[in-house]
Amino acid sequence: MIKNKLITSRDEDFAKWYTDIVKQAHLAMYSGVKGCIVFEPYSYAIWENMQKVLDTKFKELGHENVYMPMFIPESLLKKEGEHVKGFAPEVAWVTQGGSSPLDEKLCVRPTSETLFCEYYAKAVSSYRDLPKLCNQWCSVVRWEKNTRPFLRTREFLWQEGHTAHETAKEAEEETLRMLNVYKDLFENYLAIPVIVGKKTEKEKFAGAEYTLTVEALMYDGISLQSATSHYFGQKFSKPFDVKFLNRQNQLEHVYQSSWGTTSRMIGAVIMVHGDDNGLVLPPRIAPKQVVIVTIKNTEEVLAAAKKLEAELKEAGVRVFVDDSEKSAGFKFAEHEMKGVPVRIEIGPRDLTENKVTLARRDTNEKMDCTLGDVKNKTLTLLDDIHNNMFETALKRNQSKTYICKTMEQAKEIINNKPGFIRAMWCGDEECELKMKELRGMKSRCIPFKEEHLSDTCIVCGKKAKHEVYWGIQY
Amino acid sequence: MIKNKLITSRDEDFAKWYTDIVKQAHLAMYSGVKGCIVFEPYSYAIWENMQKVLDTKFKELGHENVYMPMFIPESLLKKEGEHVKGFAPEVAWVTQGGSSPLDEKLCVRPTSETLFCEYYAKAVSSYRDLPKLCNQWCSVVRWEKNTRPFLRTREFLWQEGHTAHETAKEAEEETLRMLNVYKDLFENYLAIPVIVGKKTEKEKFAGAEYTLTVEALMYDGISLQSATSHYFGQKFSKPFDVKFLNRQNQLEHVYQSSWGTTSRMIGAVIMVHGDDNGLVLPPRIAPKQVVIVTIKNTEEVLAAAKKLEAELKEAGVRVFVDDSEKSAGFKFAEHEMKGVPVRIEIGPRDLTENKVTLARRDTNEKMDCTLGDVKNKTLTLLDDIHNNMFETALKRNQSKTYICKTMEQAKEIINNKPGFIRAMWCGDEECELKMKELRGMKSRCIPFKEEHLSDTCIVCGKKAKHEVYWGIQY
């Protein structure tokens, strides 16, 4: 495979490779404000496709979209103690409106629990008003020190679901249900295999009873927290006084969940699937699934390209023709950089043989295809590519997942070949902190499907309570 | 017609009627920050339907969505003189990130010309990169003193299109093309008749060469600037240095347009169509177009309701069944308040006669319909309702549009029966300011279809240049 010269090799310098791709595939540009990026049309189109999958699913499950203000008064943010402690150090503050200083400073929402609670306190009075199943698409701001396009930016795009229920059981079911919506998105649309589980007390969301998480592993063995779903119980409804008259005619505080995922998913797609020629996009969220490249713009070639385009559009494929006057090689490289899953090449010689060439982006394999077979072959290929991308990532994850029983093993691995480390843990935060001394490694989650790897905690040797996935994170 | 007791009559106190509807139809709630509202599920669903119409049209015309940061450094905002003068007095300033003061204060975008220019300056180098046709959906902030839900809020939802072109001609064509997209949305989806035209120099957008506008008239005769499309020429591209190598191989500044509409459209829909029983929603953007109300929940009635629901859904109608245990009268009032265009009533007696009752929200007319005819009748009815709503509003507008030749006439009208005043104008800003002394009346626009109403300016008596629509504005 010939490497594209515009980008660094990913095995040489992964960080540089990543920013090269962001630039060369026209995904994002830096803005004048540190840590804030411009989502260019191509990354925004990927985001829109992700949104569509999720939004459709949310609505099928009975959720409704709302829009809350972007400003939170300081006093409101402070109502729940753990929550404000978690977020206050990293918010942006508005202190001036027009030419006058404000009486109370307003933070630009880092997340909207407080606003949803204030709303539910007014909107809910009886069990008949429950459940409230709301979601919002918006941007949020967290004044991070170290930023990287898509993965960690001061402003990012996300959705945040906030629900209120009659019973703890319903709220907990919702928490799990929504985690599985994310798992489905990652595996069946983004072709990214994930580990699902529960965060430790130390790593849970500020103010939650517990946090469920979807964790993915990037090509370089670094993990990415990709989506989370929190069970709040009554931890917010009590300080915000969100009460309802229950079926026993008594006032009770609602039980809540919240769940979200962000534009960092775009970063995950780049880092899991990309290669030395650029992006490799999963077909189900690729803005363009197929590009038809004309090798030479004869009348016959152009007509055949248009005909194929119409046929594929008809079949629901996102397809376009590149009949620009650039050389075929240049066009190939451009669409490879952009990660278009399938390329169809048509030239005058192909037409005399009544065929085209299909090239798949994931494996770079090329194959002949008679004109009449293009539609069916392409549809099959799009599914094959998805499956192959998923399998490739899964195999890589497996090869980068290590069972460790001693700290020496863990240290050796994390220093030389990072990935997920599976190890037993006693449940003490102190041991988590000790693990962190190894290159800042954190617990990713206690997996839903725990195995008994050994009897003792990898750190302290005391009786183990849980299997934990550990890893360095983006 | 029996008046709903939860809301004030619109002829008694229009302002109170408006806020009553916003509350009783569960459209919006005030938040803890003055002038910032919560878009509840119902208003957000209306907004989503408006978005869908526009977004589809934008994309058909070749536009791509992007997302720009919400923060603009003070220095960037200041680059174009008129623009900063227009917006600086009403922006919110972020001065602190986390616990540290910022080196340079950032404004929360009131509009994003400056950001798009900065982006285009990097993204455009040759005529081959043009046109750039970008749009973004986001919220913007303007620190207004007097606010009212949807019509004027400190944060509001909108879209802003920003385009860059090779020639002035192309940019001007785009400016007009997009104005017509808005006109189409208002007339053919919101059932709101509009006047289209050009703003005077005084009323144009801060920094534009000229501004085209869509102006609507509310039930109370007050006008609402509903969407605008601006031609910038090179007024932004010069200070922001957005240059391209043209076909003559010379560097030239791009020609730009920008166009937008906002969530105030929801306010327009309320104020043009609503009545004393609540909202009246135009069928094409109503979240629910049809409600099937069961009069008594017998097994047969429930089965028939479900069957009708399935049939209408199949036909693409947004329909739902209300089989709650509330009284029929209560259910009727509730769906009238929410403005659902068509109500289908089914009771046991209806079924024995193989019929249902259809009620249309716009006229409150009721009619019998045999079960087999429901689908076709409903589809026809939805179009009839749209047309009738448009015609009703159009007739009202016509009855509230006055040709005036003297200031006395204008004064008499604006004080007693406000509406659009059509009058000739000499073109001097001084005369516009004189008109403003009449209850703050402003020029709405110079209509595209100007008529010669008289030879002289209504204010100064000098030679008239243009016909102008004048009005008091929201």
Side-chain angles (χ1 to χ4, degrees):
Chain A
M1 183 173 141
I2 302 155
K3 208 199 117 334
N4 188 304
K5 285 174 191 142
L6 294 166
I7 54 176
T8 311
S9 161
R10 68 179 160 165
D11 289 318
E12 216 167 84
D13 183 343
F14 193 71
K16 179 82 170 44
W17 168 84
Y18 180 78
T19 47
D20 285 348
I21 286 201
V22 167
K23 190 177 168 193
Q24 297 297 338
H26 298 294
L27 293 169
M29 263 189 200
Y30 291 101
S31 81
V33 177
K34 182 185 145 61
C36 292
I37 59 169
V38 172
F39 285 75
E40 295 189 77
Y42 203 52
S43 65
Y44 199 81
I46 295 171
W47 177 243
E48 284 183 310
N49 286 340
M50 292 173 175
Q51 279 190 303
K52 208 176 187 177
V53 175
L54 285 178
D55 200 68
T56 304
K57 192 73 193 172
F58 294 164
K59 283 174 178 157
E60 278 170 16
L61 293 171
H63 302 89
E64 298 178 299
N65 285 333
V66 299
Y67 186 77
M68 295 282 156
M70 70 155 83
F71 298 125
I72 306 174
E74 188 177 22
S75 55
L76 188 70
L77 188 71
K78 281 184 168 168
K79 264 198 176 172
E80 202 289 313
E82 285 175 49
H83 187 65
V84 66
K85 247 196 292 176
F87 285 102
E90 55 174 37
V91 298
W93 292 102
V94 174
T95 59
Q96 193 183 332
S99 48
S100 317
L102 301 181
D103 291 337
E104 180 181 8
K105 62 181 180 179
L106 307 172
C107 87
V108 182
R109 66 181 158 225
T111 177
S112 308
E113 277 70 18
T114 57
L115 294 165
F116 276 87
C117 284
E118 191 182 44
Y119 168 55
Y120 288 150
K122 293 182 205 164
V124 173
S125 55
S126 146
Y127 70 89
R128 287 186 198 87
D129 302 322
L130 296 172
K132 285 281 179 200
L133 306 172
C134 291
N135 175 64
Q136 88 172 347
W137 293 95
C138 63
S139 78
V140 288
V141 169
R142 297 178 190 176
W143 221 247
E144 306 270 5
K145 290 220 171 61
N146 300 309
T147 62
R148 195 191 288 237
F150 303 119
L151 295 176
R152 196 170 287 274
T153 48
R154 285 187 168 173
E155 181 187 6
F156 54 90
L157 301 175
W158 84 342
Q159 61 66 220
E160 47 181 324
H162 296 270
T163 67
H165 306 261
E166 254 188 281
T167 64
K169 183 167 173 283
E170 276 181 36
E172 290 199 68
E173 282 166 1
E174 170 82 358
T175 309
L176 183 58
R177 185 183 305 124
M178 300 318 289
L179 190 81
N180 283 323
V181 168
Y182 296 132
K183 183 176 191 287
D184 176 59
L185 172 74
F186 274 85
E187 302 198 331
N188 296 322
Y189 293 88
L190 311 187
I192 297 178
V194 291
I195 304 295
V196 286
K198 195 172 175 172
K199 286 282 183 192
T200 62
E201 275 296 298
K202 184 177 175 307
E203 296 297 328
K204 75 178 186 189
F205 179 83
E209 287 281 2
Y210 60 78
T211 291
L212 306 181
T213 183
V214 165
E215 299 283 331
L217 201 64
M218 305 298 101
Y219 176 82
D220 59 348
I222 309 298
S223 37
L224 189 75
Q225 176 180 305
S226 303
T228 46
S229 185
H230 317 291
Y231 173 61
F232 287 160
Q234 298 174 313
K235 288 186 79 169
F236 280 87
S237 62
K238 282 184 176 170
F240 287 88
D241 213 23
V242 188
K243 280 190 302 231
F244 70 105
L245 213 52
N246 66 20
R247 289 170 202 261
Q248 291 74 46
N249 216 26
Q250 290 169 324
L251 275 176
E252 190 177 354
H253 289 98
V254 299
Y255 299 83
Q256 291 178 278
S257 89
S258 108
W259 26 273
T261 189
T262 78
S263 44
R264 74 174 0 191
M265 287 192 291
I266 300 168
V269 164
I270 301 171
M271 287 196 158
V272 170
H273 300 303
D275 66 22
D276 281 356
N277 283 337
L279 268 181
V280 180
L281 288 181
R284 291 171 195 163
I285 53 104
K288 299 291 176 187
Q289 299 173 306
V290 175
V291 56
I292 302 171
V293 176
T294 57
I295 305 298
K296 206 175 162 191
N297 286 346
T298 65
E299 211 169 293
E300 292 75 23
V301 166
L302 289 171
K306 285 286 163 203
K307 190 163 169 254
L308 277 184
E309 185 190 27
E311 206 180 314
L312 287 168
K313 257 190 194 149
E314 175 79 31
V317 175
R318 298 187 288 271
V319 56
F320 73 113
V321 174
D322 181 355
D323 57 6
S324 60
E325 294 294 340
K326 303 164 196 163
S327 76
F330 189 91
K331 294 199 257 189
F332 293 176
E334 205 169 340
H335 303 301
E336 277 169 7
M337 178 66 80
K338 292 212 145 193
V340 181
V342 175
R343 180 176 72 231
I344 301 178
E345 309 167 4
I346 312 186
R349 212 181 324 162
D350 293 310
L351 284 185
T352 62
E353 296 168 36
N354 196 39
K355 70 163 191 67
V356 299
T357 304
L358 298 188
R360 51 190 287 179
R361 177 65 183 89
D362 59 336
T363 60
N364 294 299
E365 197 187 333
K366 284 192 176 201
M367 58 208 95
D368 279 349
C369 178
T370 60
L371 275 171
D373 283 344
V374 170
K375 191 184 80 178
N376 290 334
K377 183 77 189 157
T378 302
L379 289 172
T380 311
L381 204 48
L382 289 170
D383 276 336
D384 284 354
I385 292 173
H386 172 88
N387 294 335
N388 178 58
M389 287 172 72
F390 181 82
E391 287 303 324
T392 304
L394 184 63
K395 269 184 212 144
R396 188 174 56 228
N397 283 9
Q398 285 162 347
S399 77
K400 286 178 188 285
T401 302
Y402 313 91
I403 294 177
C404 289
K405 295 191 178 163
T406 67
M407 288 296 273
E408 289 65 42
Q409 284 179 323
K411 190 175 172 180
E412 152 76 15
I413 282 164
I414 217 65
N415 283 330
N416 300 314
K417 42 178 184 179
F420 281 138
I421 287 180
R422 296 175 58 192
M424 298 305 286
W425 173 59
C426 63
D428 283 355
E429 195 172 310
E430 237 173 88
C431 290
E432 268 188 283
L433 289 169
K434 280 254 171 64
M435 284 295 265
K436 214 180 162 184
E437 290 168 14
L438 304 181
R439 285 188 71 188
M441 183 158 62
K442 284 184 177 177
S443 63
R444 309 311 317 154
C445 67
I446 299 163
F448 287 153
K449 291 181 186 160
E450 276 187 76
E451 279 180 55
H452 184 83
L453 306 171
S454 83
D455 293 333
T456 55
C457 172
I458 185 174
V459 185
C460 67
K462 283 189 208 144
K463 189 163 185 286
K465 269 199 191 135
H466 289 294
E467 179 196 345
V468 167
Y469 271 71
W470 309 83
I472 308 171
Q473 75 179 17
Y474 268 109
Chain B
M1 184 174 139
I2 302 156
K3 207 198 120 330
N4 188 305
K5 285 177 190 138
L6 293 167
I7 54 176
T8 310
S9 161
R10 69 179 159 165
D11 289 319
E12 215 168 86
D13 183 343
F14 192 72
K16 180 82 168 44
W17 168 85
Y18 180 78
T19 47
D20 284 349
I21 287 201
V22 167
K23 191 178 167 192
Q24 296 298 337
H26 298 292
L27 293 170
M29 263 189 200
Y30 290 101
S31 82
V33 177
K34 183 186 145 58
C36 292
I37 59 169
V38 172
F39 285 75
E40 295 189 76
Y42 203 52
S43 64
Y44 200 81
I46 295 172
W47 177 242
E48 284 182 311
N49 286 340
M50 292 173 175
Q51 279 190 301
K52 209 176 186 176
V53 175
L54 285 179
D55 200 68
T56 304
K57 192 73 194 171
F58 294 164
K59 284 175 177 157
E60 277 170 17
L61 293 172
H63 302 89
E64 298 178 298
N65 285 333
V66 299
Y67 185 77
M68 294 282 155
M70 69 155 84
F71 298 126
I72 306 175
E74 190 178 20
S75 54
L76 188 69
L77 189 70
K78 281 184 168 168
K79 264 198 177 172
E80 202 290 313
E82 286 174 49
H83 187 65
V84 66
K85 246 195 294 172
F87 284 102
E90 55 173 36
V91 298
W93 292 102
V94 173
T95 60
Q96 193 183 332
S99 48
S100 317
L102 301 182
D103 292 336
E104 178 180 9
K105 63 181 179 180
L106 307 172
C107 86
V108 183
R109 64 179 160 226
T111 178
S112 308
E113 276 71 17
T114 57
L115 295 164
F116 276 88
C117 283
E118 192 182 44
Y119 169 55
Y120 288 150
K122 292 181 205 163
V124 173
S125 56
S126 144
Y127 71 90
R128 287 185 197 85
D129 302 323
L130 297 172
K132 285 282 179 199
L133 306 172
C134 290
N135 175 65
Q136 88 172 344
W137 293 95
C138 64
S139 78
V140 288
V141 170
R142 297 179 190 176
W143 221 248
E144 306 269 6
K145 291 221 170 60
N146 299 308
T147 61
R148 194 191 289 237
F150 302 119
L151 295 176
R152 194 170 287 275
T153 49
R154 283 187 170 174
E155 182 187 7
F156 54 89
L157 302 174
W158 83 342
Q159 60 65 220
E160 47 181 324
H162 296 270
T163 67
H165 306 261
E166 255 188 281
T167 64
K169 181 165 174 285
E170 275 182 37
E172 291 201 66
E173 281 166 0
E174 170 83 358
T175 308
L176 182 58
R177 184 184 304 122
M178 300 319 288
L179 189 82
N180 283 322
V181 168
Y182 296 132
K183 182 176 192 287
D184 176 60
L185 172 74
F186 274 85
E187 301 198 332
N188 296 321
Y189 294 87
L190 311 187
I192 297 179
V194 291
I195 303 296
V196 286
K198 195 172 176 173
K199 287 281 184 192
T200 61
E201 275 296 299
K202 184 177 174 307
E203 297 297 328
K204 74 178 188 189
F205 179 82
E209 288 280 2
Y210 60 79
T211 291
L212 305 181
T213 183
V214 166
E215 299 283 331
L217 201 64
M218 305 298 101
Y219 177 81
D220 60 347
I222 309 297
S223 37
L224 190 76
Q225 176 181 305
S226 302
T228 46
S229 185
H230 317 291
Y231 173 61
F232 287 161
Q234 297 174 314
K235 287 187 78 168
F236 280 86
S237 63
K238 283 184 176 170
F240 286 89
D241 213 23
V242 188
K243 280 189 300 228
F244 70 104
L245 213 53
N246 66 19
R247 289 171 202 258
Q248 290 74 45
N249 216 26
Q250 290 170 322
L251 275 177
E252 188 176 355
H253 289 99
V254 299
Y255 299 83
Q256 290 179 279
S257 89
S258 109
W259 26 273
T261 189
T262 79
S263 43
R264 73 174 1 190
M265 288 192 290
I266 301 168
V269 164
I270 302 171
M271 287 197 159
V272 170
H273 300 302
D275 67 21
D276 281 357
N277 284 336
L279 267 181
V280 181
L281 288 181
R284 292 171 195 163
I285 54 103
K288 299 290 177 188
Q289 299 173 305
V290 176
V291 56
I292 302 171
V293 175
T294 58
I295 305 298
K296 207 176 161 189
N297 286 346
T298 65
E299 211 169 292
E300 293 75 23
V301 166
L302 289 171
K306 284 288 164 203
K307 191 163 167 253
L308 277 184
E309 185 191 26
E311 207 179 313
L312 287 168
K313 255 189 195 149
E314 175 78 30
V317 176
R318 297 188 289 271
V319 56
F320 72 115
V321 173
D322 181 354
D323 57 6
S324 60
E325 294 295 342
K326 302 165 196 164
S327 76
F330 189 92
K331 292 199 259 189
F332 292 176
E334 206 169 337
H335 303 302
E336 277 169 7
M337 178 66 80
K338 292 212 145 193
V340 181
V342 174
R343 180 176 73 230
I344 301 177
E345 308 167 5
I346 314 187
R349 213 184 321 165
D350 293 310
L351 285 185
T352 61
E353 296 169 36
N354 197 39
K355 71 164 191 67
V356 299
T357 304
L358 299 187
R360 53 190 286 179
R361 177 65 183 89
D362 59 336
T363 59
N364 293 299
E365 197 187 335
K366 283 192 176 201
M367 59 209 93
D368 280 349
C369 177
T370 59
L371 275 172
D373 284 344
V374 170
K375 191 184 82 181
N376 289 335
K377 184 76 189 157
T378 302
L379 290 172
T380 311
L381 205 47
L382 289 170
D383 276 335
D384 283 353
I385 292 173
H386 172 88
N387 294 334
N388 178 58
M389 287 174 71
F390 180 82
E391 287 301 324
T392 303
L394 184 62
K395 270 184 211 143
R396 188 174 57 230
N397 283 9
Q398 284 162 348
S399 78
K400 286 180 186 284
T401 301
Y402 313 92
I403 294 176
C404 289
K405 297 194 176 159
T406 67
M407 288 296 275
E408 289 65 41
Q409 284 179 324
K411 190 173 172 183
E412 152 75 15
I413 282 164
I414 216 67
N415 284 329
N416 300 312
K417 42 177 185 180
F420 281 138
I421 287 180
R422 297 175 58 193
M424 299 305 286
W425 173 59
C426 63
D428 282 355
E429 197 173 308
E430 236 173 88
C431 291
E432 270 188 280
L433 289 169
K434 281 254 170 65
M435 285 295 266
K436 213 178 163 185
E437 289 169 14
L438 304 181
R439 286 186 70 188
M441 183 159 61
K442 285 184 177 176
S443 63
R444 309 310 317 153
C445 67
I446 299 163
F448 287 152
K449 291 181 187 161
E450 276 187 77
E451 279 181 53
H452 183 81
L453 307 171
S454 83
D455 293 334
T456 55
C457 173
I458 184 174
V459 184
C460 66
K462 284 187 207 145
K463 189 161 185 287
K465 269 198 193 137
H466 288 295
E467 179 195 345
V468 167
Y469 271 71
W470 308 84
I472 308 172
Q473 74 178 18
Y474 269 108

